[in-house]
């Protein structure tokens, strides 16, 4: 990576980290929210469940089949990234609607829906088979 690209990436990461911290503080009414490194950005995590992330300063919220139409109706788009062969769309995270970013109450509503979507997507914990008695 060139020095200029490295500096730009570091600036983007700092901006994303700052934005993630601001959002976590704004969502404090939901309970404690951790900010954790997530690829090139930062995830918002509650009780071990990631429900959102900030990448290049943009907030993306977890969606499911029930909430995706609400995002699409408002013109929100899924997170995407470019590879050498194509652009990959991540249909489980959508850009936060503009109203969510302008109104703390709306942000909490959207984040609560995102947390419910993330909880619904969790796979049940695998149980170990009981030991056989000999």
């Amino acid at each position: 990576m060139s020095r200029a690209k490295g500096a730009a990436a570091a600036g983007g990461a700092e901006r994303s980290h700052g934005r993630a911290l601001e959002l976590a503080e704004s969502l404090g009414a939901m309970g404690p929210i951790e900010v954790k490194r997530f690829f090139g950005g930062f995830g918002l995590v509650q009780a071990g469940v990631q429900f959102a992330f900030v990448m290049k300063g943009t907030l993306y919220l977890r969606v499911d089949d029930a909430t995706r139409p609400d995002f699409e109706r408002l013109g929100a788009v899924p997170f995407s990234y470019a590879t050498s062969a194509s652009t990959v769309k991540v249909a489980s995270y959508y850009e936060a609607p503009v109203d969510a970013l302008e109104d703390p109450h709306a942000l909490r509503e959207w984040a609560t829906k995102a947390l419910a979507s993330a909880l619904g997507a969790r796979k049940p914990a695998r149980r170990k088979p009981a030991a056989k008695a000999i």
Side-chain angles (χ1 to χ4, degrees):
M1 177 181 321
S2 74
R3 185 178 208 122
K5 277 188 177 180
E14 288 174 18
R15 184 180 71 198
S16 291
H17 187 238
R19 183 72 176 128
L21 290 171
E22 289 172 9
L23 290 164
E25 184 177 329
S26 180
L27 294 170
M30 291 176 60
I33 295 175
E34 296 178 80
V35 173
K36 294 187 173 186
R37 219 90 176 100
F38 179 69
F39 297 103
F42 293 87
L44 300 178
V45 179
Q46 185 177 60
V49 178
Q50 181 173 310
F51 64 93
F53 66 85
V54 178
M55 189 77 63
K56 296 183 181 177
T58 301
L59 174 64
Y60 294 91
L61 297 168
R62 177 75 184 199
V63 302
D64 57 22
D65 290 341
T67 60
R68 187 175 294 108
D70 296 335
F71 284 81
E72 291 173 343
R73 191 172 18 265
L74 295 172
V77 295
F79 173 71
S80 63
Y81 61 93
T83 68
S84 59
S86 66
T87 297
V88 177
K89 289 185 181 179
V90 180
S92 55
Y93 282 92
Y94 270 62
E95 187 173 1
V98 174
D99 72 321
L101 301 173
E102 296 173 353
D103 176 5
H105 180 70
L107 177 61
R108 277 192 305 278
E109 288 179 11
W110 285 100
T112 299
K113 290 178 188 178
L115 179 58
S117 295
L119 286 167
R122 291 178 77 175
K123 294 178 182 174
R126 292 183 61 179
R127 297 173 113 178
K128 292 183 180 180
K132 293 183 181 181
I134 300 179

